[in-house]
Amino acid sequence: METLQKYYDALIEHPFTNGVVPHLLTVAGFLLAFFAIARLMSQRKQPGNTFAWLFLIAFVPYVGVPLYLMFGGRKLRRLAALKTPLSATPTIAPFDTLEQTLASRVFTRNGACPPVGGNRVSFLTSGEESFERLEYAIRHAKHSIHIMTFILGRDAVGKRLVKLLAQRAREGVKVRLLLDGLGCFLSAGRFCDPIREAGGEVVKFMPVMPLQTPHSANLRNHRKIAIFDHRVAALGGRNLAVEYMGPTPLKRRWRDLGGVVEGPAVRVLDEIFLADWAFASGQPLARLQQELPAEAPAPAGDSEVQIVASGPDVSGDPLYEGILSLVQQAERSVWIVTPYFIPDEVLFRSLLVQARAGIDIRIVVPARSNHPITDLARRHFLRDLQAAGAKVLLYGPGMLHAKMLLVDEQTGLFGSANMDLRSLFLNFEVGAVTYSPAEARAIGGWMKEVFAQSAPLVERRRKPRLLSTIGEEIARLLAPLL
């Protein structure tokens, strides 16, 4: 033992260990930071995003560089080459495209499909109603059940849905369940084996272990879509877990909203699902598309709907560009409901200008979300908007998870995307834009209920606390990375 201790002491005191190794580590850290910064500056990123990474790499290179190599990518060419890009035109005869507004043209020219008429849209305003409709649709599907989700809970809701999907697979229905590799890290394996054993298919989108690409841990499929018999589809913000839905009321259940679409627009959602499934499963997309009916679903109503997918598989940023266009051309009001509010500089400034111009800007966020660091990061945005004349409301009864936008009480948007940089520029997301008066009234009515259960943001006049101020500034600086 004494011999080992003498050897250790000698090693610590050795000139090489005591001087050369720290010097080499310092040089290595500097080189890593230098090459990471050079790569960062060569990419086209937003200034805020670039500065946040520069801060992290320069001051904590041993942490910042590995994180950047894993999570710093956005529109990756390698990924785009692997995944078939989503087409702006479905693989059927073109729909009768309606006369497009400026906003719809912005969505379309950035990679979204044009608006489609002849649809019926109904909204799912509670977790109990959402679960009831989902379970009913699964039980009554005749040919196929296609579901993708970001989170499948290992709870009573997850177990019940897995059991039901396995039952339908045994009965001969084509069951496909697409799970995000990170969000469903604990539930995509043995937990779903009953579905696989019954003849259904379950695949993971970009498994985290092992990484498919150096950036695959950061590119998440946040889309939530359920399609039944290629004619009825549901989308929105709810995941498949007890916090979001269930057969009975739950006090701690999150407030959310989703929609059910029937009609020709379902074909667009079908195309999105099959493209994601082909990428995750390795199955040929052309063969999968042969399963689709020759014609789109028949008209089911008179609603105009534009399905907008966004992410690395879309050439532009249609959700972001479309939202920006809607905000900038608003004449009376812009109402936003979102769990996380971290806009980029252009969207933030657009909202500021509209608020100062007297436009009715209302932003509702949860008083406390499930991610405290995002609550810190949102503070200065909300304070500045409120000072400019916007109404900032904090939803108090619980967690608010809905993602909604209503402009001039005419054009609505709902889906999976939060009003933050990750959803608008990085994740695979999907939303539905509605242009019909009936949907505008329904969205507006639901939002007004949320307004009534929310309280105005109140800034207490007290001496700032040093730690709180530092924490807010750091969260604000790193907001583009959240």
Side-chain angles (χ1 to χ4, degrees), residues 143-148 152 165-166 168-170 173-179 188-189 192-204 273-274 277-278 280-284 287-288 291:
H143 310 293
S144 64
I145 299 171
H146 291 169
I147 297 175
M148 75 163 73
L152 174 66
L165 289 171
R168 297 313 323 273
R170 279 193 296 271
V173 175
K174 186 68 176 180
V175 173
R176 290 190 174 112
L177 180 60
L178 178 56
L179 305 175
C192 290
D193 277 351
I195 300 175
R196 298 183 180 96
E197 293 166 358
E201 298 177 82
V202 182
V203 299
K204 289 187 288 187
F273 179 91
L274 291 178
W277 181 268
S281 67
Q283 299 172 11
R287 182 174 63 80
L288 292 170
E291 300 177 8

Side-chain angles (χ1 to χ4, degrees), residues 124-135 157 238-250 253-258 446:
L124 305 173
T125 59
S126 72
E128 297 77 54
E129 180 186 15
S130 183
F131 184 82
E132 180 183 0
R133 291 286 296 272
L134 177 62
E135 192 171 54
V157 167
R238 290 189 181 94
N239 291 294
L240 306 182
V242 71
E243 294 92 342
Y244 306 89
M245 62 174 65
T248 56
L250 186 67
R253 181 159 292 138
W254 296 359
R255 187 84 179 261
D256 212 327
L257 182 135
W446 187 88

